[in-house]
Amino acid sequence: MSDTEVEADPAGSETGNESRALEGASGPDEREEVSLRVEKLRKTFGGIVAVDGASFAVESGTITGLIGPNGAGKSTTFNCVTGVYEPTEGTVYFEGEDITGLAPHAVANGGLVRTFQIARELGEMTVLENLMLAPKNQRGEALWRSLLPFVRDEVVEQERDIRERCWDILDFFEIDHLADEYAKNLSGGQRKLLELARALLTDPEMLLLDEPFAGVNPSLEERLLTHIHDLQAEGYTFLIVEHDMDLIMEHCEHIVVMHQGKVLTEGPPADIRSNEAVIEAYLGGDV
Ligand code: ADP
Ligand code: MG
């Protein structure tokens, strides 16, 4: 490479960054405050329009609720945001970066993580084993590397770190007594705690939870909510899909209401509660 090329490059990338910054945010502070921004999202399945031009934003550090009657497009929106589906149209920004159409693991590596139901195969593993599998960029996974002696030490050390983190998180969720239990033997609520624990081990900045309280008994639901608030206090951002409006009203500071694939309205709980269109959508829907 010649000297001229080296000199030319910094100038070139500076210009590139500038134009990207202008494109990515509509105000200078916005990139700091907004974790997730969904713009004009559309997703069709053949003739079915599941999401029909939905736009909303999730502020950093909030617990935001995404509600709406069955079939409103909530889960499809989640799937488009987390890379499970490719949107038909529209853009998804996470922390100012365009993540539209990225594969799920790439979205997760970027810090935007959704909980997944524990797959059947994982039921045959213990709770601790399930957690040990979760962390991203596990060096132990690249087997060929462990043949190198200096990497082997690193792998052992890393495994010890991961094990420690797993115990910390078991402790945090008060399920340490279940560490050696097979995942398939957990109750619905305990399984939800494990799903959230697994998601946390991937070092997310923002967590998306799709109906995290479905099939969870009231005392575990209360615990799960306490954990979510504790995690919020540590700086995590949450977007929670739920059709129990009262629960969302009580625990979220901001609510996005979807109906027939569109964002009907958004705002603080008090505004949503008294919104005629929301009441009508819920009465009209089969909830
Ligand atoms: P919600 O989670 O709010 O209940 P969904 O996003 O699951 O709503 O569904 C929105 C609409 O899209 C529904 O009419 C649903 O039947 C349809 N839909 C969702 N996923 C698919 C799919 N994979 N194929 C066809 N239609 C789908
Ligand atoms: Mg759904």
Side-chain angles (χ1 to χ4, degrees):
M1 200 186 274
S2 75
D3 285 348
T4 16
E5 272 174 306
V6 171
E7 267 173 43
D9 186 46
S13 47
E14 218 170 276
T15 324
N17 283 340
E18 222 167 61
S19 58
R20 223 173 318 147
L22 289 174
E23 251 176 70
S26 39
D29 298 325
E30 211 159 45
R31 297 177 77 169
E32 304 281 326
E33 292 167 10
V34 171
S35 284
L36 177 71
R37 178 181 298 285
V38 172
E39 272 177 15
K40 298 184 183 142
L41 186 70
R42 184 176 164 86
K43 179 66 184 173
T44 58
F45 299 100
I48 296 165
V49 184
V51 181
D52 191 8
S55 300
F56 63 90
V58 176
E59 255 182 69
S60 303
T62 62
I63 302 176
T64 295
L66 180 59
I67 66 169
N70 280 330
K74 306 181 295 295
S75 293
T76 305
T77 298
F78 253 42
N79 285 328
C80 288
V81 165
T82 53
V84 176
Y85 293 150
E86 190 163 348
T88 309
E89 281 171 43
T91 319
V92 181
Y93 297 100
F94 181 59
E95 291 176 349
E97 300 249 354
D98 183 348
I99 60 159
T100 318
L102 289 187
H105 68 89
V107 174
N109 277 341
L112 179 58
V113 171
R114 64 172 299 168
T115 52
F116 272 104
Q117 287 188 351
I118 305 294
R120 191 173 305 200
E121 316 84 78
L122 295 182
E124 303 296 332
M125 296 173 73
T126 68
V127 166
L128 182 61
E129 286 165 346
N130 264 282
L131 290 179
M132 294 285 292
L133 278 179
K136 66 178 174 187
N137 302 330
Q138 244 177 59
R139 193 149 289 165
E141 272 168 19
L143 276 180
W144 63 270
R145 288 186 53 118
S146 60
L147 300 174
L148 306 169
F150 65 94
V151 178
R152 205 157 47 216
D153 287 347
E154 213 181 307
V155 170
V156 168
E157 200 173 305
Q158 201 177 20
E159 164 134 356
R160 199 169 42 220
D161 284 355
I162 291 171
R163 192 171 286 270
E164 219 164 274
R165 286 190 63 202
C166 289
W167 278 106
D168 283 350
I169 228 153
L170 285 168
D171 196 39
F172 176 80
F173 284 110
E174 299 163 65
I175 49 172
D176 40 337
H177 60 290
L178 296 172
D180 294 326
E181 188 60 77
Y182 288 110
K184 66 179 178 195
N185 295 336
L186 300 183
S187 73
Q190 290 168 337
R191 202 174 290 236
K192 296 282 179 186
L193 286 173
L194 177 58
E195 285 167 18
L196 187 54
R198 275 170 59 94
L200 280 172
L201 280 167
T202 64
D203 279 333
E205 269 132 58
M206 177 169 177
L207 288 141
L208 290 95
L209 316 180
D210 195 353
E211 306 210 359
F213 312 108
V216 175
N217 77 48
S219 83
L220 259 181
E221 175 179 301
E222 206 48 53
R223 249 172 72 193
L224 199 47
L225 281 162
T226 306
H227 292 314
I228 289 170
H229 284 289
D230 288 349
L231 290 164
Q232 179 194 23
E234 284 183 34
Y236 290 93
T237 305
F238 285 90
L239 179 63
I240 303 180
V241 162
E242 178 59 51
H243 62 239
D244 180 343
M245 227 208 306
D246 292 333
L247 187 147
I248 285 291
M249 294 279 173
E250 196 183 328
H251 293 279
C252 297
E253 52 253 73
H254 189 81
I255 297 173
V256 179
V257 187
M258 285 188 76
H259 182 46
Q260 296 176 347
K262 293 183 165 72
V263 172
L264 188 61
T265 184
E266 59 179 305
D271 292 2
I272 301 298
R273 196 187 296 278
S274 57
N275 186 301
E276 291 286 333
V278 175
I279 295 164
E280 213 157 285
Y282 265 84
L283 291 176
D286 53 343
V287 176

